[in-house]
Every structure is written in C-alpha cells, then in structure tokens.
Amino acid sequence: MPNPFTVQDFAARLARATEAAARAGLSGLLVTPGPDLVYLTGYQPVAITERLTALVLAPDRPPTMIVPKLERPDAEGAAGAGALTLTDWVDGEDPYAAAVPLLDPQGRYAVSDAAWAMHLLGLQEALPATAYVPVTRALPMLRAVKDADELERLAAAGAAADQAYHRILQVPFAGRRENEVAADLAALLTEFGHSQVDFTVVGSGPNGANPHHEADDRVIRAGDTVVLDFGGLKHGYGSDTTRTVHVGADVPEEVRTVHEVVRRAQQAAFEAVRPGVACQEIDRVARAVITEAGYGEYFIHRTGHGIGVTTHEPPYMVEGEEQPLVPGMCFSIEPGIYLPGRFGVRIEDIVTVTETGGWRFNSTPHDLAVVH
Ligand code: ZN
Ligand code: ZN
Ligand code: ZN
C-alpha cells in the first residue's frame, strides 16, 4: 500500500491549480464532484446527487468548498480537508444563493467538465454576469503531469493488470461466451488489488473490429482472434492494457501480418516518446507504420489518452494536439487495425515520459499469444 497523500500534497495541488487558472486569465476554478475534486481534495461524496457540492479556487481567497450540511462530516473526513475552508447549506435553502459569496459576480471560471447542468445554470441565474469554460478546454494539463507518488500508483496498477493478463491466458476461451471471459478478467483485476473495474473488453472475431465493443453473448470459437482490453483503478490510479490473442495455434497468415504491423506501430510510437515532442507526433508515428503497410483506413481510433485518477483523460495522442510531452505525463499507446466483419488487433501499454524517453508500465509480451 503506497503512503497516503498528505494535507501538504493536497495544499500544493490546490495552489498549483489556482495559479494555473490565474495564468490562464481566469478568475478561478469551480470544481464539482468527480476526478478533479478527488485529485485536488481527496473528497468523493458517497453519491453524486442533485445537492450542490462545489470547491471554489481563486487567488484572493483560501480554497473553499461548499457542501450540503448533512454531508459535512464526510467532507471533513477527506484526506485534503485540512487544506480547505468548508461552508455549508441546509436542505430547504437555495444552494446557489449560498454559493454567491464565494464567486466574483463578474468572474470567468473554469468549471469541471461533468458539472451538472442544473448546478451551472443555477449559478448563472444567481450571478448572470459570471462566465464558465470547461476545465479540459481551459486547463487541459491540470492533472497531466504526475509526481513520484502518483507514478508509483500507476506502476502498481499496470503491474496488477499485467498479472491479470498472464492469468487470463490460462482460462478456457473456445466454447465460452465473451461475457464469461470478461467476468474472469474483472475478477482477476480485483484479485490483484483493483478497487474498481472500468472495462473488460473481450472482442472475439468480428466483434474485435469495433474498438469500443465491450463483451456480449457471442460464443468464442477456435480460430477466433480476440482483443482483450481491460483496466480500472488500484489505489485510486488507473490501469489500461490491451493484448490480442488467438484461439488455437493455427493462426492464419493475415492475422500474423496484421498483428506484426500493429506491434511495430506500437513500438515505433513508444520509441518516439521524449520531452518536447508534440502529442500528435506520437499518433503520426504509429499511423505512418500502419499506413505504409496498407492498413491506414482501418486505424480508426486515436493512438492514446492520458491516465491518472481516471482511465481516460488529457493529454490525447491525436492529430491536432500540439501539447508537448513533459516528464511525468502518463498515457496509453494503443494503435490498432480494425477489419469490419472480420477481426481486430490492438496492442496497448501505458507509458510515462522520462527525461530521456518513455517508460512502460505494462511489460507483458507483445507477441500474439495462443489461448485454448
Ligand atoms: Zn477508445
Ligand atoms: Zn484500453
Ligand atoms: Zn486505452
């Protein structure tokens, strides 16, 4: 178990976020329950409901969180509560009126992407001259660069996913439904310390051609190529890895060829990782390998996404993302080839940027493993 984050850790994150908002020309940051709030305060309400909870960060005031009074004891118990001033409102009061003193009536704030519309509209009605931009647009790199304690957690999550992969190779595939193998994967992630399973993709045969297929009732057969993509949270940080396997040792030539192209694309993109390189360059490098091999039109998904307290977040490895890589950023490299109606191949590792290049948090073999 890694050392828990301290009040000082949260205070530093709060200060950094407040500074970043000011540097972006904003009055501050309005954070509602979800990953930004977990990152900044360690607080996650038991249920995210219609009752307003919001953290307001602004350079001219201490970090202040408004909570429903009945949830105040929970908020006081959060790991970062010591770095916050708490205020509350009571059922029957207007929560937006209660939040008004925390906001600049002319202010422009970055607001959590997933803030409930009813809350944002309530605040806008109470303070019509305020303006809001989503955090991902205003401060996309807010959580992107991980410190040593966060990297330790991401490494542990990756190692646990790798253990799950080694074990899933031992379970029977042929004759079982995708859903059954997916349940095995979920159980393995849990066994290796995940507290939350986010996805367990088992894309057999033609289902593998849909990058976002999860798992369904299809019965897996000998001769199927199967995409396995799974991950979740361990100690509050994400894992996400993909390997493609084949049911039975009789692997068709085309499956071998496609798999080798994807493997080379993943390796080339990994080798392109170093500080200062634009995110889109990682996508371009992977895409060039696949395009040159003649499969460009079947690489229909971006090359990667950031990972941290969630399994999908900025920075995105996609054309148009010019953000330069910075040591401590963590993201997936997951090129794939998706042949409609036939099969798909994807290989995915989580990678972090070091001073000199890239470092993988997943280290299971990239070969096309044979399962039975
Ligand atoms: Zn995707
Ligand atoms: Zn994945
Ligand atoms: Zn991914």
Side-chain angles (χ1 to χ4, degrees):
M1 183 76 189
N3 289 330
F5 294 119
T6 64
V7 172
Q8 288 73 28
D9 291 328
F10 289 109
R13 290 178 185 181
L14 289 161
R16 210 162 37 73
T18 308
E19 260 170 54
R23 246 185 294 119
L26 298 163
S27 314
L29 219 71
L30 183 72
V31 183
T32 59
D36 291 329
L37 193 66
V38 168
Y39 175 77
L40 291 167
T41 69
Y43 181 49
Q44 182 151 39
V46 174
I48 296 177
T49 70
E50 70 287 357
R51 289 191 175 91
L52 177 73
T53 294
L55 166 69
V56 181
L57 300 182
D60 55 350
R61 67 169 72 244
T64 305
M65 187 162 71
I66 182 164
V67 299
K69 192 174 179 68
L70 66 106
E71 293 175 6
R72 184 169 179 136
D74 288 345
E76 284 170 344
L84 301 174
T85 301
L86 287 182
T87 169
D88 58 44
W89 63 278
V90 185
D91 274 7
E93 281 177 10
D94 177 351
Y96 310 113
V100 159
L102 304 181
L103 296 167
D104 170 356
Q106 313 290 328
R108 187 163 166 273
Y109 291 88
V111 61
S112 296
D113 294 352
W116 283 28
M118 68 178 277
H119 295 322
L120 195 54
L121 293 169
L123 289 169
Q124 281 182 315
E125 209 175 325
L127 291 168
T130 52
Y132 303 89
V133 277
V135 165
T136 287
R137 182 139 56 83
L139 302 169
M141 298 303 132
L142 181 66
R143 295 186 271 119
V145 178
K146 274 66 181 180
D147 67 24
D149 291 327
E150 294 183 283
L151 294 174
E152 185 190 340
R153 285 165 169 78
L154 284 156
D162 285 359
Q163 286 177 291
Y165 175 68
H166 283 300
R167 284 272 297 278
I168 203 70
L169 294 180
Q170 311 304 321
V171 310
F173 277 68
R176 294 174 77 216
R177 297 184 188 281
E178 289 179 351
N179 282 328
E180 297 174 85
V181 177
D184 290 346
L185 270 173
L188 286 166
L189 286 171
T190 304
E191 179 182 335
F192 293 117
H194 281 62
S195 57
Q196 180 180 314
V197 175
D198 284 3
F199 44 84
T200 50
V201 171
V202 180
S204 66
N207 287 342
N210 170 3
H212 285 179
H213 175 76
E214 270 269 335
D216 66 22
D217 280 342
R218 184 177 186 278
V219 175
I220 301 168
R221 294 190 298 250
D224 281 345
T225 300
V226 186
V227 176
L228 302 171
D229 182 352
F230 47 97
L233 299 184
K234 175 170 176 167
H235 303 318
Y237 280 76
S239 68
D240 182 4
T241 185
T242 308
R243 294 292 182 265
T244 301
V245 302
H246 191 266
V247 186
D250 193 9
V251 183
E253 197 51 43
E254 189 185 13
V255 173
R256 278 193 200 287
T257 302
V258 167
H259 189 273
E260 176 59 14
V261 171
V262 173
R263 191 197 64 73
R264 284 196 291 114
Q266 210 276 350
Q267 182 62 25
F270 170 71
E271 288 172 7
V273 174
R274 61 184 175 280
V277 167
C279 291
Q280 66 180 2
E281 186 60 22
I282 304 306
D283 183 80
R284 286 176 181 176
V285 168
R287 209 161 289 278
V289 173
I290 290 176
T291 301
E292 201 179 316
Y295 290 99
E297 68 182 292
Y298 302 110
F299 181 11
I300 52 175
H301 193 276
R302 68 186 173 211
T303 293
H305 55 80
I307 189 166
V309 296
T310 72
T311 42
H312 282 94
E313 61 188 45
Y316 296 104
M317 305 301 122
V318 68
E319 184 64 32
E321 180 50 85
E322 293 173 359
Q323 175 70 38
L325 296 181
V326 172
M329 281 183 177
C330 299
F331 53 85
S332 69
I333 297 181
E334 51 176 303
I337 294 176
Y338 306 97
L339 300 174
R342 303 185 57 214
F343 66 94
V345 172
R346 177 164 67 255
I347 299 174
E348 173 178 27
D349 293 325
I350 300 302
V351 168
T352 187
V353 185
T354 70
E355 296 294 339
T356 52
W359 178 265
R360 284 185 168 103
F361 286 147
N362 298 105
S363 57
T364 57
H366 284 183
D367 321 338
L368 183 68
V370 169
V371 296
H372 296 284

Short mmCIF file of all heavy atoms in Angstrom, two decimals, residues 90-115:
data_model
loop_
_atom_site.label_atom_id
_atom_site.label_comp_id
_atom_site.label_asym_id
_atom_site.label_seq_id
_atom_site.Cartn_x
_atom_site.Cartn_y
_atom_site.Cartn_z
N VAL A 90 -28.18 24.15 3.91
CA VAL A 90 -29.09 23.17 4.53
C VAL A 90 -30.26 22.90 3.58
O VAL A 90 -30.71 23.81 2.87
CB VAL A 90 -29.64 23.73 5.87
CG1 VAL A 90 -30.48 22.67 6.58
CG2 VAL A 90 -28.50 24.18 6.76
N ASP A 91 -30.72 21.65 3.55
CA ASP A 91 -31.90 21.30 2.75
C ASP A 91 -33.00 22.33 2.98
O ASP A 91 -33.31 22.66 4.14
CB ASP A 91 -32.41 19.91 3.14
CG ASP A 91 -31.71 18.80 2.37
OD1 ASP A 91 -30.74 19.09 1.63
OD2 ASP A 91 -32.13 17.62 2.51
N GLY A 92 -33.59 22.81 1.90
CA GLY A 92 -34.64 23.82 2.02
C GLY A 92 -34.13 25.21 1.66
O GLY A 92 -34.91 26.08 1.26
N GLU A 93 -32.81 25.42 1.80
CA GLU A 93 -32.22 26.69 1.36
C GLU A 93 -31.92 26.63 -0.15
O GLU A 93 -31.85 25.55 -0.73
CB GLU A 93 -30.86 26.92 2.05
CG GLU A 93 -30.95 27.42 3.47
CD GLU A 93 -29.56 27.55 4.12
OE1 GLU A 93 -28.52 27.43 3.40
OE2 GLU A 93 -29.53 27.74 5.33
N ASP A 94 -31.67 27.82 -0.73
CA ASP A 94 -31.22 27.89 -2.12
C ASP A 94 -29.69 27.73 -2.14
O ASP A 94 -28.97 28.63 -1.70
CB ASP A 94 -31.64 29.24 -2.71
CG ASP A 94 -31.14 29.41 -4.15
OD1 ASP A 94 -30.34 28.57 -4.62
OD2 ASP A 94 -31.54 30.40 -4.78
N PRO A 95 -29.19 26.59 -2.63
CA PRO A 95 -27.74 26.37 -2.57
C PRO A 95 -26.97 27.37 -3.42
O PRO A 95 -25.81 27.68 -3.12
CB PRO A 95 -27.57 24.95 -3.12
CG PRO A 95 -28.80 24.67 -3.90
CD PRO A 95 -29.90 25.46 -3.27
N TYR A 96 -27.61 27.87 -4.49
CA TYR A 96 -26.90 28.80 -5.38
C TYR A 96 -26.73 30.15 -4.70
O TYR A 96 -25.68 30.77 -4.80
CB TYR A 96 -27.62 28.88 -6.73
CG TYR A 96 -27.88 27.48 -7.24
CD1 TYR A 96 -29.17 26.97 -7.35
CD2 TYR A 96 -26.80 26.62 -7.51
CE1 TYR A 96 -29.39 25.67 -7.76
CE2 TYR A 96 -27.01 25.32 -7.91
CZ TYR A 96 -28.31 24.84 -8.03
OH TYR A 96 -28.52 23.55 -8.41
N ALA A 97 -27.76 30.57 -3.98
CA ALA A 97 -27.64 31.80 -3.20
C ALA A 97 -26.54 31.63 -2.15
O ALA A 97 -25.75 32.55 -1.90
CB ALA A 97 -28.98 32.14 -2.53
N ALA A 98 -26.45 30.44 -1.59
CA ALA A 98 -25.41 30.18 -0.57
C ALA A 98 -24.01 30.22 -1.18
O ALA A 98 -23.04 30.55 -0.51
CB ALA A 98 -25.66 28.83 0.10
N ALA A 99 -23.91 29.89 -2.48
CA ALA A 99 -22.60 29.87 -3.15
C ALA A 99 -22.18 31.26 -3.64
O ALA A 99 -21.00 31.49 -3.91
CB ALA A 99 -22.62 28.90 -4.32
N VAL A 100 -23.14 32.17 -3.77
CA VAL A 100 -22.85 33.50 -4.33
C VAL A 100 -21.66 34.21 -3.67
O VAL A 100 -20.79 34.74 -4.37
CB VAL A 100 -24.13 34.38 -4.31
CG1 VAL A 100 -23.80 35.87 -4.39
CG2 VAL A 100 -25.05 33.98 -5.46
N PRO A 101 -21.56 34.22 -2.33
CA PRO A 101 -20.44 34.95 -1.71
C PRO A 101 -19.06 34.40 -2.09
O PRO A 101 -18.05 35.08 -1.90
CB PRO A 101 -20.67 34.76 -0.20
CG PRO A 101 -22.07 34.30 -0.06
CD PRO A 101 -22.47 33.64 -1.33
N LEU A 102 -19.00 33.19 -2.62
CA LEU A 102 -17.70 32.58 -2.97
C LEU A 102 -17.22 33.03 -4.34
O LEU A 102 -16.06 32.79 -4.70
CB LEU A 102 -17.80 31.05 -2.95
CG LEU A 102 -18.29 30.41 -1.66
CD1 LEU A 102 -18.32 28.89 -1.81
CD2 LEU A 102 -17.39 30.82 -0.50
N LEU A 103 -18.11 33.61 -5.14
CA LEU A 103 -17.78 33.88 -6.55
C LEU A 103 -17.73 35.38 -6.82
O LEU A 103 -18.47 36.16 -6.22
CB LEU A 103 -18.82 33.22 -7.46
CG LEU A 103 -18.88 31.69 -7.41
CD1 LEU A 103 -20.14 31.18 -8.08
CD2 LEU A 103 -17.65 31.09 -8.06
N ASP A 104 -16.84 35.76 -7.76
CA ASP A 104 -16.78 37.13 -8.25
C ASP A 104 -17.97 37.31 -9.21
O ASP A 104 -18.07 36.58 -10.19
CB ASP A 104 -15.44 37.31 -8.97
CG ASP A 104 -15.34 38.62 -9.73
OD1 ASP A 104 -16.34 39.37 -9.78
OD2 ASP A 104 -14.26 38.86 -10.31
N PRO A 105 -18.85 38.27 -8.95
CA PRO A 105 -20.06 38.41 -9.79
C PRO A 105 -19.74 38.66 -11.26
O PRO A 105 -20.59 38.42 -12.12
CB PRO A 105 -20.80 39.60 -9.18
CG PRO A 105 -20.10 39.97 -7.93
CD PRO A 105 -18.79 39.25 -7.86
N GLN A 106 -18.51 39.15 -11.55
CA GLN A 106 -18.12 39.38 -12.95
C GLN A 106 -17.13 38.30 -13.40
O GLN A 106 -16.50 38.46 -14.44
CB GLN A 106 -17.41 40.75 -13.10
CG GLN A 106 -18.10 41.91 -12.42
CD GLN A 106 -19.39 42.27 -13.13
OE1 GLN A 106 -19.50 42.12 -14.34
NE2 GLN A 106 -20.38 42.71 -12.36
N GLY A 107 -16.97 37.26 -12.61
CA GLY A 107 -15.85 36.33 -12.82
C GLY A 107 -16.03 35.41 -14.00
O GLY A 107 -17.14 35.11 -14.44
N ARG A 108 -14.88 34.93 -14.48
CA ARG A 108 -14.86 33.91 -15.54
C ARG A 108 -14.11 32.71 -14.95
O ARG A 108 -12.94 32.83 -14.57
CB ARG A 108 -14.16 34.46 -16.77
CG ARG A 108 -14.23 33.58 -17.98
CD ARG A 108 -13.88 34.38 -19.25
NE ARG A 108 -13.63 33.45 -20.34
CZ ARG A 108 -12.44 32.91 -20.59
NH1 ARG A 108 -11.39 33.24 -19.87
NH2 ARG A 108 -12.30 32.04 -21.58
N TYR A 109 -14.79 31.57 -14.86
CA TYR A 109 -14.25 30.42 -14.14
C TYR A 109 -14.11 29.20 -15.05
O TYR A 109 -14.94 28.97 -15.94
CB TYR A 109 -15.19 30.03 -12.99
CG TYR A 109 -15.21 31.05 -11.88
CD1 TYR A 109 -16.09 32.13 -11.92
CD2 TYR A 109 -14.31 30.97 -10.81
CE1 TYR A 109 -16.09 33.09 -10.93
CE2 TYR A 109 -14.31 31.92 -9.81
CZ TYR A 109 -15.20 32.98 -9.87
OH TYR A 109 -15.19 33.94 -8.89
N ALA A 110 -13.07 28.41 -14.79
CA ALA A 110 -13.02 27.07 -15.36
C ALA A 110 -13.92 26.20 -14.48
O ALA A 110 -13.87 26.31 -13.25
CB ALA A 110 -11.60 26.53 -15.36
N VAL A 111 -14.75 25.37 -15.09
CA VAL A 111 -15.69 24.53 -14.33
C VAL A 111 -15.48 23.07 -14.74
O VAL A 111 -15.18 22.77 -15.89
CB VAL A 111 -17.16 24.99 -14.57
CG1 VAL A 111 -17.54 24.87 -16.04
CG2 VAL A 111 -18.13 24.23 -13.69
N SER A 112 -15.63 22.16 -13.77
CA SER A 112 -15.47 20.73 -14.04
C SER A 112 -16.29 20.31 -15.25
O SER A 112 -17.45 20.69 -15.39
CB SER A 112 -15.94 19.91 -12.84
OG SER A 112 -15.13 20.16 -11.73
N ASP A 113 -15.69 19.48 -16.10
CA ASP A 113 -16.36 19.05 -17.33
C ASP A 113 -17.73 18.45 -17.06
O ASP A 113 -18.68 18.66 -17.80
CB ASP A 113 -15.53 17.95 -18.03
CG ASP A 113 -14.20 18.48 -18.54
OD1 ASP A 113 -13.99 19.70 -18.50
OD2 ASP A 113 -13.40 17.65 -18.99
N ALA A 114 -17.83 17.67 -16.00
CA ALA A 114 -19.06 16.91 -15.75
C ALA A 114 -19.93 17.57 -14.69
O ALA A 114 -20.82 16.93 -14.13
CB ALA A 114 -18.73 15.47 -15.36
N ALA A 115 -19.72 18.87 -14.44
CA ALA A 115 -20.63 19.58 -13.51
C ALA A 115 -22.06 19.43 -14.03
O ALA A 115 -22.29 19.53 -15.23
CB ALA A 115 -20.25 21.06 -13.42
#
